[in-house]
mmCIF file with all atom_site columns, all heavy atoms in Angstrom:
data_model
loop_
_atom_site.group_PDB
_atom_site.id
_atom_site.type_symbol
_atom_site.label_atom_id
_atom_site.label_alt_id
_atom_site.label_comp_id
_atom_site.label_asym_id
_atom_site.label_entity_id
_atom_site.label_seq_id
_atom_site.pdbx_PDB_ins_code
_atom_site.Cartn_x
_atom_site.Cartn_y
_atom_site.Cartn_z
_atom_site.occupancy
_atom_site.B_iso_or_equiv
_atom_site.pdbx_formal_charge
_atom_site.auth_seq_id
_atom_site.auth_comp_id
_atom_site.auth_asym_id
_atom_site.auth_atom_id
_atom_site.pdbx_PDB_model_num
ATOM 1   N N   . ASP T 1 158 ? -17.476 -2.558 13.488 1.00 0.00 ? 158 ASP T N   1
ATOM 2   C CA  . ASP T 1 158 ? -17.103 -2.565 14.948 1.00 0.00 ? 158 ASP T CA  1
ATOM 3   C C   . ASP T 1 158 ? -17.509 -3.806 15.549 1.00 0.00 ? 158 ASP T C   1
ATOM 4   O O   . ASP T 1 158 ? -18.657 -4.247 15.317 1.00 0.00 ? 158 ASP T O   1
ATOM 5   C CB  . ASP T 1 158 ? -17.852 -1.222 15.649 1.00 0.00 ? 158 ASP T CB  1
ATOM 6   C CG  . ASP T 1 158 ? -17.306 -1.185 16.994 1.00 0.00 ? 158 ASP T CG  1
ATOM 7   O OD1 . ASP T 1 158 ? -16.143 -1.656 17.335 1.00 0.00 ? 158 ASP T OD1 1
ATOM 8   O OD2 . ASP T 1 158 ? -18.066 -0.615 17.840 1.00 0.00 ? 158 ASP T OD2 1
ATOM 9   N N   . ARG T 1 192 ? -20.859 3.476  18.960 1.00 0.00 ? 192 ARG T N   1
ATOM 10  C CA  . ARG T 1 192 ? -19.739 4.251  19.490 1.00 0.00 ? 192 ARG T CA  1
ATOM 11  C C   . ARG T 1 192 ? -19.481 5.374  18.508 1.00 0.00 ? 192 ARG T C   1
ATOM 12  O O   . ARG T 1 192 ? -19.407 5.161  17.271 1.00 0.00 ? 192 ARG T O   1
ATOM 13  C CB  . ARG T 1 192 ? -18.483 3.374  19.615 1.00 0.00 ? 192 ARG T CB  1
ATOM 14  C CG  . ARG T 1 192 ? -17.384 4.120  20.398 1.00 0.00 ? 192 ARG T CG  1
ATOM 15  C CD  . ARG T 1 192 ? -16.204 3.326  20.614 1.00 0.00 ? 192 ARG T CD  1
ATOM 16  N NE  . ARG T 1 192 ? -15.187 4.100  21.236 1.00 0.00 ? 192 ARG T NE  1
ATOM 17  C CZ  . ARG T 1 192 ? -15.080 4.078  22.590 1.00 0.00 ? 192 ARG T CZ  1
ATOM 18  N NH1 . ARG T 1 192 ? -15.933 3.339  23.408 1.00 0.00 ? 192 ARG T NH1 1
ATOM 19  N NH2 . ARG T 1 192 ? -14.267 4.827  23.217 1.00 0.00 ? 192 ARG T NH2 1
ATOM 20  N N   . THR T 1 193 ? -19.179 6.474  18.934 1.00 0.00 ? 193 THR T N   1
ATOM 21  C CA  . THR T 1 193 ? -18.966 7.640  18.029 1.00 0.00 ? 193 THR T CA  1
ATOM 22  C C   . THR T 1 193 ? -17.469 7.756  17.740 1.00 0.00 ? 193 THR T C   1
ATOM 23  O O   . THR T 1 193 ? -16.632 7.174  18.424 1.00 0.00 ? 193 THR T O   1
ATOM 24  C CB  . THR T 1 193 ? -19.555 9.056  18.640 1.00 0.00 ? 193 THR T CB  1
ATOM 25  O OG1 . THR T 1 193 ? -18.778 9.228  19.904 1.00 0.00 ? 193 THR T OG1 1
ATOM 26  C CG2 . THR T 1 193 ? -20.914 8.990  18.839 1.00 0.00 ? 193 THR T CG2 1
ATOM 27  N N   . GLN T 1 194 ? -17.223 8.524  16.831 1.00 0.00 ? 194 GLN T N   1
ATOM 28  C CA  . GLN T 1 194 ? -15.892 8.745  16.277 1.00 0.00 ? 194 GLN T CA  1
ATOM 29  C C   . GLN T 1 194 ? -15.050 9.536  17.438 1.00 0.00 ? 194 GLN T C   1
ATOM 30  O O   . GLN T 1 194 ? -15.486 10.372 17.961 1.00 0.00 ? 194 GLN T O   1
ATOM 31  C CB  . GLN T 1 194 ? -15.854 9.586  14.991 1.00 0.00 ? 194 GLN T CB  1
ATOM 32  C CG  . GLN T 1 194 ? -14.462 9.798  14.531 1.00 0.00 ? 194 GLN T CG  1
ATOM 33  C CD  . GLN T 1 194 ? -14.476 10.747 13.309 1.00 0.00 ? 194 GLN T CD  1
ATOM 34  O OE1 . GLN T 1 194 ? -14.595 11.959 13.454 1.00 0.00 ? 194 GLN T OE1 1
ATOM 35  N NE2 . GLN T 1 194 ? -14.273 10.175 12.096 1.00 0.00 ? 194 GLN T NE2 1
ATOM 36  N N   . GLY T 1 195 ? -13.795 9.119  17.789 1.00 0.00 ? 195 GLY T N   1
ATOM 37  C CA  . GLY T 1 195 ? -13.031 9.835  18.693 1.00 0.00 ? 195 GLY T CA  1
ATOM 38  C C   . GLY T 1 195 ? -12.175 8.942  19.420 1.00 0.00 ? 195 GLY T C   1
ATOM 39  O O   . GLY T 1 195 ? -12.122 7.739  19.315 1.00 0.00 ? 195 GLY T O   1
ATOM 40  N N   . ASP T 1 487 ? -11.461 -2.815 11.862 1.00 0.00 ? 487 ASP T N   1
ATOM 41  C CA  . ASP T 1 487 ? -12.399 -2.579 13.019 1.00 0.00 ? 487 ASP T CA  1
ATOM 42  C C   . ASP T 1 487 ? -12.717 -1.225 13.403 1.00 0.00 ? 487 ASP T C   1
ATOM 43  O O   . ASP T 1 487 ? -13.381 -0.739 14.285 1.00 0.00 ? 487 ASP T O   1
ATOM 44  C CB  . ASP T 1 487 ? -12.057 -3.431 14.207 1.00 0.00 ? 487 ASP T CB  1
ATOM 45  C CG  . ASP T 1 487 ? -10.746 -2.959 14.810 1.00 0.00 ? 487 ASP T CG  1
ATOM 46  O OD1 . ASP T 1 487 ? -10.064 -1.900 14.383 1.00 0.00 ? 487 ASP T OD1 1
ATOM 47  O OD2 . ASP T 1 487 ? -10.207 -3.787 15.712 1.00 0.00 ? 487 ASP T OD2 1
ATOM 48  N N   . GLY T 1 488 ? -11.922 -0.282 12.681 1.00 0.00 ? 488 GLY T N   1
ATOM 49  C CA  . GLY T 1 488 ? -12.067 1.204  12.914 1.00 0.00 ? 488 GLY T CA  1
ATOM 50  C C   . GLY T 1 488 ? -11.043 1.811  14.038 1.00 0.00 ? 488 GLY T C   1
ATOM 51  O O   . GLY T 1 488 ? -11.069 3.023  14.187 1.00 0.00 ? 488 GLY T O   1
ATOM 52  N N   . TRP T 1 489 ? -10.262 0.952  14.609 1.00 0.00 ? 489 TRP T N   1
ATOM 53  C CA  . TRP T 1 489 ? -9.332  1.412  15.639 1.00 0.00 ? 489 TRP T CA  1
ATOM 54  C C   . TRP T 1 489 ? -7.975  1.643  15.247 1.00 0.00 ? 489 TRP T C   1
ATOM 55  O O   . TRP T 1 489 ? -7.396  0.848  14.480 1.00 0.00 ? 489 TRP T O   1
ATOM 56  C CB  . TRP T 1 489 ? -9.381  0.483  16.898 1.00 0.00 ? 489 TRP T CB  1
ATOM 57  C CG  . TRP T 1 489 ? -10.645 0.587  17.626 1.00 0.00 ? 489 TRP T CG  1
ATOM 58  C CD1 . TRP T 1 489 ? -11.779 -0.282 17.578 1.00 0.00 ? 489 TRP T CD1 1
ATOM 59  C CD2 . TRP T 1 489 ? -11.036 1.357  18.691 1.00 0.00 ? 489 TRP T CD2 1
ATOM 60  N NE1 . TRP T 1 489 ? -12.669 -0.004 18.517 1.00 0.00 ? 489 TRP T NE1 1
ATOM 61  C CE2 . TRP T 1 489 ? -12.240 1.134  19.247 1.00 0.00 ? 489 TRP T CE2 1
ATOM 62  C CE3 . TRP T 1 489 ? -10.257 2.522  19.289 1.00 0.00 ? 489 TRP T CE3 1
ATOM 63  C CZ2 . TRP T 1 489 ? -12.870 1.800  20.222 1.00 0.00 ? 489 TRP T CZ2 1
ATOM 64  C CZ3 . TRP T 1 489 ? -10.895 3.189  20.248 1.00 0.00 ? 489 TRP T CZ3 1
ATOM 65  C CH2 . TRP T 1 489 ? -12.105 2.825  20.784 1.00 0.00 ? 489 TRP T CH2 1
ATOM 66  N N   . TRP T 1 504 ? -7.758  5.372  19.077 1.00 0.00 ? 504 TRP T N   1
ATOM 67  C CA  . TRP T 1 504 ? -8.648  6.348  18.476 1.00 0.00 ? 504 TRP T CA  1
ATOM 68  C C   . TRP T 1 504 ? -9.626  5.535  17.458 1.00 0.00 ? 504 TRP T C   1
ATOM 69  O O   . TRP T 1 504 ? -9.151  4.647  16.778 1.00 0.00 ? 504 TRP T O   1
ATOM 70  C CB  . TRP T 1 504 ? -7.861  7.367  17.669 1.00 0.00 ? 504 TRP T CB  1
ATOM 71  C CG  . TRP T 1 504 ? -8.772  8.416  16.966 1.00 0.00 ? 504 TRP T CG  1
ATOM 72  C CD1 . TRP T 1 504 ? -9.389  9.568  17.567 1.00 0.00 ? 504 TRP T CD1 1
ATOM 73  C CD2 . TRP T 1 504 ? -9.168  8.566  15.548 1.00 0.00 ? 504 TRP T CD2 1
ATOM 74  N NE1 . TRP T 1 504 ? -10.133 10.262 16.681 1.00 0.00 ? 504 TRP T NE1 1
ATOM 75  C CE2 . TRP T 1 504 ? -10.069 9.674  15.494 1.00 0.00 ? 504 TRP T CE2 1
ATOM 76  C CE3 . TRP T 1 504 ? -8.949  7.768  14.549 1.00 0.00 ? 504 TRP T CE3 1
ATOM 77  C CZ2 . TRP T 1 504 ? -10.614 10.038 14.309 1.00 0.00 ? 504 TRP T CZ2 1
ATOM 78  C CZ3 . TRP T 1 504 ? -9.507  8.099  13.286 1.00 0.00 ? 504 TRP T CZ3 1
ATOM 79  C CH2 . TRP T 1 504 ? -10.355 9.249  13.218 1.00 0.00 ? 504 TRP T CH2 1
ATOM 80  N N   . TYR T 1 505 ? -10.889 5.963  17.428 1.00 0.00 ? 505 TYR T N   1
ATOM 81  C CA  . TYR T 1 505 ? -11.919 5.209  16.758 1.00 0.00 ? 505 TYR T CA  1
ATOM 82  C C   . TYR T 1 505 ? -12.375 6.021  15.581 1.00 0.00 ? 505 TYR T C   1
ATOM 83  O O   . TYR T 1 505 ? -12.701 7.191  15.717 1.00 0.00 ? 505 TYR T O   1
ATOM 84  C CB  . TYR T 1 505 ? -13.049 4.738  17.607 1.00 0.00 ? 505 TYR T CB  1
ATOM 85  C CG  . TYR T 1 505 ? -14.155 3.958  16.932 1.00 0.00 ? 505 TYR T CG  1
ATOM 86  C CD1 . TYR T 1 505 ? -13.864 2.767  16.263 1.00 0.00 ? 505 TYR T CD1 1
ATOM 87  C CD2 . TYR T 1 505 ? -15.460 4.262  17.042 1.00 0.00 ? 505 TYR T CD2 1
ATOM 88  C CE1 . TYR T 1 505 ? -14.846 2.023  15.568 1.00 0.00 ? 505 TYR T CE1 1
ATOM 89  C CE2 . TYR T 1 505 ? -16.421 3.614  16.356 1.00 0.00 ? 505 TYR T CE2 1
ATOM 90  C CZ  . TYR T 1 505 ? -16.094 2.362  15.710 1.00 0.00 ? 505 TYR T CZ  1
ATOM 91  O OH  . TYR T 1 505 ? -17.007 1.761  15.041 1.00 0.00 ? 505 TYR T OH  1
ATOM 92  N N   . ALA T 1 506 ? -12.325 5.448  14.440 1.00 0.00 ? 506 ALA T N   1
ATOM 93  C CA  . ALA T 1 506 ? -12.761 6.220  13.157 1.00 0.00 ? 506 ALA T CA  1
ATOM 94  C C   . ALA T 1 506 ? -14.199 6.362  13.019 1.00 0.00 ? 506 ALA T C   1
ATOM 95  O O   . ALA T 1 506 ? -14.663 7.270  12.002 1.00 0.00 ? 506 ALA T O   1
ATOM 96  C CB  . ALA T 1 506 ? -12.210 5.490  11.853 1.00 0.00 ? 506 ALA T CB  1
ATOM 97  N N   . GLY T 1 507 ? -15.041 5.706  13.711 1.00 0.00 ? 507 GLY T N   1
ATOM 98  C CA  . GLY T 1 507 ? -16.489 5.878  13.619 1.00 0.00 ? 507 GLY T CA  1
ATOM 99  C C   . GLY T 1 507 ? -17.103 4.691  13.216 1.00 0.00 ? 507 GLY T C   1
ATOM 100 O O   . GLY T 1 507 ? -16.502 3.732  12.631 1.00 0.00 ? 507 GLY T O   1
ATOM 101 N N   . PRO T 1 508 ? -18.586 4.604  13.412 1.00 0.00 ? 508 PRO T N   1
ATOM 102 C CA  . PRO T 1 508 ? -19.310 3.345  13.077 1.00 0.00 ? 508 PRO T CA  1
ATOM 103 C C   . PRO T 1 508 ? -19.613 3.196  11.590 1.00 0.00 ? 508 PRO T C   1
ATOM 104 O O   . PRO T 1 508 ? -19.835 2.003  11.249 1.00 0.00 ? 508 PRO T O   1
ATOM 105 C CB  . PRO T 1 508 ? -20.557 3.535  13.849 1.00 0.00 ? 508 PRO T CB  1
ATOM 106 C CG  . PRO T 1 508 ? -20.786 4.999  13.955 1.00 0.00 ? 508 PRO T CG  1
ATOM 107 C CD  . PRO T 1 508 ? -19.438 5.586  14.073 1.00 0.00 ? 508 PRO T CD  1
ATOM 108 N N   . PRO T 1 511 ? -15.626 2.377  8.851  1.00 0.00 ? 511 PRO T N   1
ATOM 109 C CA  . PRO T 1 511 ? -14.643 2.753  9.868  1.00 0.00 ? 511 PRO T CA  1
ATOM 110 C C   . PRO T 1 511 ? -13.212 2.365  9.554  1.00 0.00 ? 511 PRO T C   1
ATOM 111 O O   . PRO T 1 511 ? -12.287 2.828  10.252 1.00 0.00 ? 511 PRO T O   1
ATOM 112 C CB  . PRO T 1 511 ? -14.946 1.949  11.179 1.00 0.00 ? 511 PRO T CB  1
ATOM 113 C CG  . PRO T 1 511 ? -15.573 0.732  10.627 1.00 0.00 ? 511 PRO T CG  1
ATOM 114 C CD  . PRO T 1 511 ? -16.203 1.007  9.295  1.00 0.00 ? 511 PRO T CD  1
#
Side-chain angles (χ1 to χ4, degrees):
D158 187 27
R192 185 182 185 92
T193 59
Q194 182 187 76
D487 60 12
W489 285 98
W504 183 79
Y505 183 52

